Amino acid sequence: MTYKDYITTVYVIVDEVIKLIGHKHKTNKPKFSDNELITLLVFASTFRKGEIKSTIKEFKENYRDMFPYVPQLPAIVKRARKLKKLTKPLITIVKNLLSNKESTIAILDTKPIPICELTRMRRCKKAK
């Protein structure tokens, strides 16, 4: 998998999870969305040992077609701190989903299955 394929896959996963959570950016059309920021952070933590500065430089030089606007380091750090509660679990989820190892995280989408019936409920005086 090339870096571009990896970045695209990460962006799609992050976008879907953020839609499911219902997270919205403060402005309608930001120049650099939260999805792009989290994608950048996942890439930095996966391939650059968390080095954001070199990742920003690489994104500006090599991935201008995918990320037309990449803000400066202070702006990214400020926004990353605000999104810390959202970013950390997403980084873990994406890294586990895309690793070749067996994952300890499972994402399930199922309907609840009733495991027992309340047969004595009608006779119980406290339930009424």
Side-chain angles (χ1 to χ4, degrees):
M1 178 183 292
T2 65
Y3 284 155
K4 280 195 175 193
D5 294 339
Y6 183 83
I7 291 169
T8 304
T9 306
V10 168
Y11 183 85
V12 169
I13 293 170
V14 168
D15 188 49
E16 290 299 318
V17 171
I18 284 183
K19 282 179 188 174
L20 286 173
I21 293 171
H23 174 77
K24 301 221 183 226
H25 194 272
K26 289 181 181 177
T27 59
N28 287 341
K29 293 184 179 181
K31 288 183 179 180
F32 192 71
S33 69
D34 292 342
N35 302 351
E36 293 171 326
L37 174 66
I38 294 170
T39 301
L40 185 139
L41 295 173
V42 169
F43 185 84
S45 69
T46 305
F47 295 109
R48 303 293 175 255
K49 298 180 183 175
E51 181 59 41
I52 298 173
K53 193 173 185 178
S54 64
T55 306
I56 292 170
K57 183 179 178 186
E58 184 175 350
F59 271 46
K60 285 182 177 182
E61 291 173 359
N62 301 329
Y63 306 113
R64 180 68 74 186
D65 57 332
M66 298 170 77
F67 299 90
Y69 175 78
V70 179
Q72 298 296 320
L73 180 65
I76 287 181
V77 170
K78 184 179 177 182
R79 283 185 56 201
R81 282 188 187 141
K82 288 181 181 178
L83 294 172
K84 190 175 186 177
K85 289 182 180 179
L86 179 65
T87 304
K88 279 192 169 190
L90 272 173
I91 288 174
T92 305
I93 289 170
V94 170
K95 285 173 82 173
N96 283 332
L97 284 174
L98 297 179
S99 72
N100 293 332
K101 301 174 189 172
E102 284 189 31
S103 177
T104 57
I105 295 176
I107 299 176
L108 300 175
D109 185 20
T110 62
K111 183 178 176 183
I113 302 170
I115 49 177
C116 64
E117 294 182 22
L118 302 174
T119 55
R120 298 181 186 173
M121 190 68 148
R122 289 181 230 117
R123 292 184 266 165
C124 181
K125 294 177 183 176
K126 291 181 182 179
K128 292 182 181 180

